[in-house]
């Protein structure tokens, strides 16, 4: 269904616009800069430099209607079992919004509110203690979201705590991070839904031993007994639920470190911004619905134009971690090749997402964006009003932002082909009035909803991640062999690599 619908809808427009140039589309349509843009609160989005015209945009909206996107969003908010492979709803929206009257959604919202009350109590207790540093121990969704938000909102930090993140199982990370801290003035939060994540438990044990016990250990988990067995007192365990996926969980008690960094008021403002985007995504007509238009544009670029990668380019250093956060959100959610029925999707799904902050990236990989053989669509993200007094710096930053989107779209013809720019490289520009908790919440929720809409269009499940399990299982089987036990290893290449590791260890020991 998804394959036929997308191909039948998009193929005629792809053929019609095969030789179209963005610069010509803009020149031919005087109202395009205004009509291909929309504002939601403090967030402005322009699609004027995407390689499509009004007729194509109308067809994309019709595609969204035919794919029942509005109904799919209502199902999401109502707590229907949209995560079919795990037989669960995906109610991350209930962590911040009350936009459904169904019993399951209202119960989830009530549980989230109760957890925030408990979280606020723990925040107050820590604020009243002599603790100065917080170490958040987690990986994936238990790290990337909180880390992004804490870094992005550094201008709104209370200053009460320094918040650090320990994620990689590589012991050098723990070694160097903890060396700068005082264990007598540090508390740690272990974040793991199952409390069985290898990296978190290994790092958690290192931190627990370094602290000299579990008195200042906190946990966020759906498995309280395991957290207690690790040594965390039950009154210091905050809940997670199986109806919230890790990469959608920063709005929950997983955001404990965020609340410690920016205060509970800042955390609530973050949720309020996301709730504003939730209401827009659920209620706005599809033709003026920002997340759905963002998703439809992504499907156009992937399936009609055949573009295999996507760059995210924030022109604000505080958003430097956004591409890494979105890599998990987008690629773990949309990196699927089969439908929930086990059938091949039949068309390309997720693009490879990557990026980095401007203007640094202009001196790194922008050469490939402008003159490389592959066309790479991009999201550019800017902030109109900075949180610093350096006006000339900010003017230069915004000038570069505007210049890059113009240059990528319009190109430049020179007598020397090496100095010519082909242009016709599509981009979307997102402008925040300012970067604060509320606008950041709206921006992240925009991407969450865009991802879900794309999953509906492609007929895949955005909320499972079976693709990460095989490597973890094999790693568990190999760990005894790496530790030196004499165990059988079936794969001949792995056996050879283990032999090499053992030989080099033995040589170092001599």
């Amino acid at each position: 269904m998804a394959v036929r619908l997308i191909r039948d809808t998009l193929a005629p427009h792809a053929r019609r616009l095969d030789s179209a140039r963005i610069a010509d589309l803009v020149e031919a349509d005087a109202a395009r800069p205004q009509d291909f843009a929309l504002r939601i609160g403090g967030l402005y989005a322009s699609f004027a430099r995407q390689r499509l015209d009004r007729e194509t945009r109308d067809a994309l909206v019709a595609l969204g209607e035919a794919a029942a996107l509005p109904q799919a969003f209502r199902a999401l908010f109502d707590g229907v079992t949209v995560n079919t492979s795990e037989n669960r709803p995906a109610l991350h929206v209930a962590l911040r919004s009350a936009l459904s009257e169904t019993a399951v959604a209202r119960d989830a919202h009530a549980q989230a509110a109760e957890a925030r009350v408990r979280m606020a109590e723990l925040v107050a207790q820590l604020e009243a203690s002599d603790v100065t540093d917080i170490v958040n121990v987690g990986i994936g969704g238990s790290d990337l979201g909180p880390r992004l938000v804490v870094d992005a909102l550094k201008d709104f930090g209370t200053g009460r705590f320094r918040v650090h993140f320990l994620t990689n199982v590589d012991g050098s990370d723990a070694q160097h991070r903890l060396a700068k801290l005082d264990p007598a003035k540090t508390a740690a939060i272990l974040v793991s839904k199952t409390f069985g994540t290898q990296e978190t438990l290994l790092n958690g044990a290192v931190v627990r031993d370094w602290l000299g016990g579990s008195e200042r250990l906190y946990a966020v988990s759906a498995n309280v007994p395991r957290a207690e067995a690790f040594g965390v007192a039950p009154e210091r365990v905050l809940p997670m639920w199986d109806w919230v996926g890790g990469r959608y969980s920063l709005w929950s008690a997983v955001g404990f470190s965020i609340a410690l960094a920016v205060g509970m008021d800042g955390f609530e403002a973050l949720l309020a911004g996301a709730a504003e985007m939730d209401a827009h995504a659920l209620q706005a007509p599809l033709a003026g619905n920002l997340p759905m238009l963002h998703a439809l544009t992504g499907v156009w670029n992937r399936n009609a134009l055949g573009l295999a990668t996507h760059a995210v380019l924030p022109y604000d250093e505080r958003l430097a971690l956004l591409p890494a956060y979105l890599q998990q959100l987008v690629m773990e959610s949309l990196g699927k090749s089969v439908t929930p029925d086990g059938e091949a999707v039949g068309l390309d799904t997720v693009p490879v997402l990557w990026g980095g902050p401007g203007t640094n990236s202009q001196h790194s990989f922008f050469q490939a964006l402008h003159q490389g053989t592959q066309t790479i669509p991009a999201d550019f993200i800017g902030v109109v009003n900075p949180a610093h007094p350096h006006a000339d710096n900010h003017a230069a930053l915004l000038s570069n932002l505007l210049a890059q989107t113009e240059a990528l779209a319009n190109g430049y013809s020179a007598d020397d082909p090496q100095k010519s720019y082909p242009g016709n490289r599509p981009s979307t520009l997102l402008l925040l009035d300012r970067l604060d908790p509320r606008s950041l919440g709206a921006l992240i929720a925009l991407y969450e909803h865009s991802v879900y809409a794309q999953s509906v269009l492609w007929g895949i499940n955005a909320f499972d991640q079976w693709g990460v399990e095989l490597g973890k299982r094999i790693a568990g089987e190999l760990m005894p062999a790496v530790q030196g036990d004499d165990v059988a290893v079936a794969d001949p290449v792995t056996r050879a690599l283990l032999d090499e590791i053992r030989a080099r260890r033995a040589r170092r020991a001599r």
Side-chain angles (χ1 to χ4, degrees):
M1 169 65 178
V3 175
R4 185 172 67 253
L5 183 60
I6 289 174
R7 286 179 176 165
D8 288 352
T9 301
L10 302 187
H13 296 278
R15 289 192 295 268
R16 183 174 57 80
L17 295 175
D18 180 60
S19 59
R21 295 190 58 80
I22 295 168
D24 295 335
L25 294 172
V26 173
E27 184 179 2
D29 186 349
R32 182 183 175 102
Q34 292 75 36
D35 292 352
F36 278 64
L38 65 161
R39 171 172 290 280
I40 308 301
L43 174 59
Y44 175 87
S46 173
F47 298 93
R49 287 188 169 128
Q50 290 292 336
R51 189 150 67 89
L52 49 84
D53 59 8
R54 290 177 184 269
E55 188 178 341
T56 304
R57 186 182 61 177
D58 291 344
L60 288 170
V61 170
L63 171 64
E65 297 286 2
L69 276 183
Q71 295 88 336
F73 270 75
R74 173 46 70 188
L76 177 76
F77 279 76
D78 284 348
V80 173
T81 302
V82 293
N83 182 356
T84 52
S85 74
E86 297 177 294
N87 195 32
R88 298 169 182 168
L91 272 168
H92 49 282
V93 292
L95 299 171
R96 65 228 184 185
S97 304
L99 293 168
S100 173
E101 294 300 320
T102 66
V104 63
R106 294 179 66 177
D107 180 60
H109 186 70
Q111 290 182 60
E114 181 181 353
R116 285 203 302 280
V117 171
R118 287 191 56 209
M119 186 167 74
E121 292 171 351
L122 293 181
V123 169
Q125 290 174 19
L126 280 164
E127 288 176 340
S129 74
D130 60 357
V131 169
T132 59
D133 291 87
I134 305 294
V135 179
N136 187 94
V137 183
I139 197 165
S142 299
D143 168 80
L144 287 165
R147 187 195 292 257
L148 162 67
V149 174
V150 169
D151 196 51
L153 298 182
K154 57 174 69 79
D155 292 310
F156 298 87
T158 64
R160 175 61 185 82
F161 303 105
R162 292 175 296 184
V163 180
H164 315 269
F165 292 87
L166 178 57
T167 180
N168 199 319
V169 75
D170 184 346
S172 62
D173 193 13
Q175 180 83 0
H176 295 292
R177 203 166 300 278
L178 299 179
K180 302 174 184 177
L181 306 179
D182 180 354
K185 294 185 177 181
T186 302
I189 309 166
L190 312 185
V191 187
S192 172
K193 181 188 288 189
T194 63
F195 223 79
T197 307
Q198 182 190 55
E199 295 92 339
T200 302
L201 293 183
L202 287 168
N203 281 331
V206 170
V207 173
R208 180 186 58 195
D209 294 345
W210 175 79
L211 288 171
S214 57
E215 181 182 350
R216 290 185 303 284
L217 275 186
Y218 296 76
V220 181
S221 181
N223 196 327
V224 176
R226 280 191 181 178
E228 290 183 32
F230 194 84
V232 186
E235 64 270 18
R236 295 199 299 273
V237 180
L238 291 168
M240 293 177 71
W241 306 277
D242 65 5
W243 39 266
V244 178
R247 56 193 177 276
Y248 299 91
S249 66
L250 68 89
W251 323 99
S252 71
V254 171
F256 188 17
S257 58
I258 300 173
L260 289 165
V262 302
M264 282 303 298
D265 288 345
F267 186 71
E268 293 286 357
L270 180 79
L271 269 59
E276 181 179 17
M277 187 59 68
D278 291 343
H280 169 75
L282 182 64
Q283 298 165 0
L286 206 153
N289 192 304
L290 177 53
M292 295 195 195
L293 290 175
H294 188 272
L296 288 162
T297 301
V299 169
W300 167 258
N301 284 332
R302 188 74 183 101
N303 298 129
L305 303 185
L307 305 180
T309 72
H310 186 93
V312 174
L313 308 167
Y315 272 65
D316 193 299
E317 189 64 25
R318 295 169 295 175
L319 292 173
L321 296 178
L322 182 63
Y325 168 78
L326 291 177
Q327 280 180 337
Q328 186 197 23
L329 176 65
V330 174
M331 297 178 73
E332 196 166 84
S333 299
L334 300 177
K336 317 291 169 61
S337 57
V338 297
T339 69
D341 296 328
E343 300 295 325
V345 174
L347 74 174
D348 290 326
T349 58
V350 67
V352 174
L353 188 142
W354 58 290
T359 57
N360 307 44
S361 299
Q362 292 175 197
H363 298 267
S364 173
F365 53 76
F366 267 50
Q367 169 66 39
L369 295 185
H370 283 287
Q371 291 186 315
T373 57
Q374 293 189 45
T375 296
I376 300 168
D379 284 359
F380 284 83
I381 303 166
V383 178
V384 176
N385 298 293
H388 60 74
H390 309 296
D392 288 346
N393 289 62
H394 196 63
L397 184 69
L398 289 181
S399 297
N400 277 276
L401 166 66
L402 298 175
Q404 292 297 328
T405 58
E406 179 180 324
L408 284 167
N410 297 348
Y412 175 79
S413 180
D415 292 337
D416 183 350
Q418 295 180 95
K419 297 179 181 179
S420 288
Y421 294 71
N424 215 29
R425 312 288 168 108
S427 66
T428 294
L429 180 58
L430 302 172
L431 279 177
L432 305 178
D433 288 351
R434 58 189 51 80
L435 180 58
D436 58 21
R438 191 176 187 100
S439 67
L440 181 62
L443 179 67
I444 295 172
L446 159 63
Y447 278 103
E448 286 183 348
H449 292 315
S450 176
V451 163
Y452 177 57
Q454 288 174 76
S455 76
V456 172
L457 291 163
W458 283 324
I460 56 179
N461 182 355
F463 302 110
D464 61 13
Q465 57 278 333
W466 299 110
V468 305
E469 298 302 321
L470 177 60
K472 291 197 294 186
R473 177 174 63 77
I474 295 174
E477 295 169 354
L478 288 175
M479 191 164 178
V482 175
Q483 290 172 325
D485 293 351
D486 186 15
V487 296
V489 175
D491 186 271
V493 177
T494 302
R495 282 202 309 271
L497 294 170
L498 282 167
D499 289 343
E500 182 66 17
I501 290 170
R502 290 166 180 155
R504 303 311 290 181
R505 280 179 178 167
R507 180 172 178 175
R508 181 181 179 184
R510 288 200 295 268

